[in-house]
Amino acid sequence: MSMTAAERQALLVQLLQQHLLGEISQGQMLKKLRKEVLGFSQTRYAELVGVSRRTLTDIEQDNGNQAQSMIDTVFKPFGIKSGLTPIHPHVAKHMLSNNKP
């Protein structure tokens, strides 16, 4: 069953919030997006973004230390690029709550 645009966007927002709050890793987020939004195998997705399947596996399993440009490459189809994220979940919670400092 394919997702509607609204469902894809809702999932993306949910996963980004979970990542910012430290509930899921970057790799877990990528794997969920690849499988649930696109329904792609690792091989097919790796071909789409132009990386090796081994590199994609490493990223999804949070192994290794990929360059920021590589992370940007694998998240680009979802409209996401890497950047600064809070280390402490309480800072992210504050940011997401729309409270003034």
Side-chain angles (χ1 to χ4, degrees):
M1 180 171 122
S2 82
M3 300 175 86
T4 66
E7 290 170 333
R8 286 191 302 272
Q9 184 172 349
L11 178 62
L12 179 61
V13 169
Q14 174 191 6
L15 292 174
L16 283 168
Q17 287 176 337
Q18 289 176 340
H19 178 63
L20 284 172
L21 295 171
E23 297 169 359
I24 62 170
S25 70
Q26 181 174 267
Q28 291 168 324
M29 182 172 63
L30 179 60
K31 184 176 183 178
K32 200 164 188 68
L33 287 168
R34 173 182 59 79
K35 292 174 96 176
E36 293 186 24
V37 173
L38 298 178
F40 281 14
S41 67
Q42 281 187 328
T43 301
R44 185 171 177 198
Y45 190 72
E47 289 171 359
L48 172 75
V49 296
V51 301
S52 71
R53 192 195 58 76
R54 181 74 234 159
T55 297
L56 182 60
T57 298
D58 285 345
I59 293 169
E60 288 187 351
Q61 293 178 352
D62 298 303
N63 292 331
N65 191 13
Q66 282 75 26
Q68 184 171 344
S69 61
M70 180 63 66
I71 299 302
D72 287 345
T73 296
V74 298
F75 277 99
K76 186 175 183 175
F78 303 107
I80 301 171
K81 68 178 184 174
S82 59
L84 301 173
T85 55
I87 294 173
H88 302 288
H90 73 276
V91 174
K93 282 180 187 174
H94 181 75
M95 290 171 47
L96 294 171
S97 71
N98 295 324
N99 289 334
K100 302 276 186 213

